[in-house]
Amino acid sequence: VSMFWGKFCRGLELDLRKITDTGYMVSPQPALLRTVLEAVNESSGRRAIMVHLQECFSGPASSWRRIHGGFLLLEELLRGNPSELLVEISEGRYFDPMQRLSFLESFQYVDDKRVEKVIRKKAATLRASLLEKLLEVARSPREGTAPVEAPSPLAWRHAPVNGIAVIGHQDDTDDEWSDGQPLPAGRQSAPSDSTES
């Protein structure tokens, strides 16, 4: 069995590279996707797919074709509604594709603004699709758990990131400190904990 699985994983890696590294601008051929869509049913297959997607989404701007290929792969995976993969993503088992897609919404490619626009638009579209799928997973009960009331997509935009910071603009933001006291004259921001020398 392990020899068969080893060959399957090598085949999976080859198919993943063919999908993302050959510059497809439309959905890859179904024959290439077959191995990937089968692999999403196995834990090690999901891990290999997510590692590959992380590599695609973390590349330099000059590898925009590979980034776009990663988009096509993720889009096909989401179309298949892989519930186990979505659960694992929501549990944080892999890199954070929501964060990477968010970064790619600000993708910069000075050599061709059309490429920049395509990558940004596709990242935004996929991010919205992935968020919706993750919310569906959060709302549906898993074995041995009660259903969870998932926050609205707008609430997620202002949710704490790793329990440290909240991202996004708040309408009640002003030039006052959090305790309601105005900033001292000449101050541009709240004091930091660092000392000046």
Side-chain angles (χ1 to χ4, degrees):
V1 172
S2 65
M3 181 180 280
F4 169 76
W5 187 248
K7 287 181 181 181
F8 182 78
C9 285
R10 282 190 297 276
L12 172 62
E13 290 171 10
L14 288 172
D15 285 348
L16 287 169
R17 278 191 238 122
K18 286 178 186 176
I19 291 169
T20 60
D21 297 357
T22 52
Y24 286 109
M25 294 307 286
V26 294
S27 293
Q29 300 168 3
L32 280 176
L33 289 171
R34 192 172 304 119
T35 306
V36 175
L37 296 176
E38 288 172 7
V40 81
N41 296 318
E42 297 292 331
S43 177
S44 57
R46 291 189 298 272
R47 184 175 45 253
I49 291 167
M50 292 304 290
V51 165
H52 187 78
L53 282 174
Q54 181 178 14
E55 291 169 359
C56 290
F57 295 161
S58 300
S62 60
S63 65
W64 67 266
R65 286 179 182 84
R66 187 167 204 240
I67 294 168
H68 191 270
F71 289 165
L72 295 176
L73 175 59
L74 181 58
E75 187 174 53
E76 289 296 328
L77 287 170
L78 292 177
R79 192 171 288 142
N81 201 20
S83 57
E84 280 299 313
L85 179 63
L86 293 167
V87 167
E88 291 173 357
I89 289 171
S90 70
E91 292 174 347
R93 291 197 192 177
Y94 312 109
F95 80 104
D96 185 354
M98 290 293 292
Q99 180 188 48
R100 291 304 314 163
L101 291 168
S102 180
F103 290 153
L104 289 167
E105 286 181 61
S106 301
F107 180 80
Q108 293 183 357
Y109 191 66
V110 295
D111 294 343
D112 190 340
K113 291 297 180 184
R114 295 171 300 172
V115 168
E116 181 177 282
K117 186 177 178 180
V118 166
I119 295 293
R120 286 179 177 192
K121 184 177 179 182
K122 192 73 167 178
T125 302
L126 269 174
R127 190 173 150 288
S129 296
L130 179 58
L131 177 59
E132 186 57 38
K133 294 283 188 179
L134 290 172
L135 287 172
E136 286 174 20
V137 166
R139 289 183 189 117
S140 64
R142 292 195 310 257
E143 193 175 311
T145 64
V148 175
E149 185 59 38
S152 70
L154 185 59
W156 270 32
R157 284 196 87 104
H158 299 286
V161 176
N162 292 333
I164 298 172
V166 175
I167 296 176
H169 171 75
Q170 299 290 334
D171 291 333
D172 65 346
T173 302
D174 57 21
D175 290 339
E176 296 182 2
W177 291 14
S178 62
D179 64 1
Q181 299 296 317
L183 289 171
R187 271 316 271 253
Q188 297 297 317
S189 63
S192 66
D193 292 336
S194 64
T195 57
E196 297 178 12
S197 354

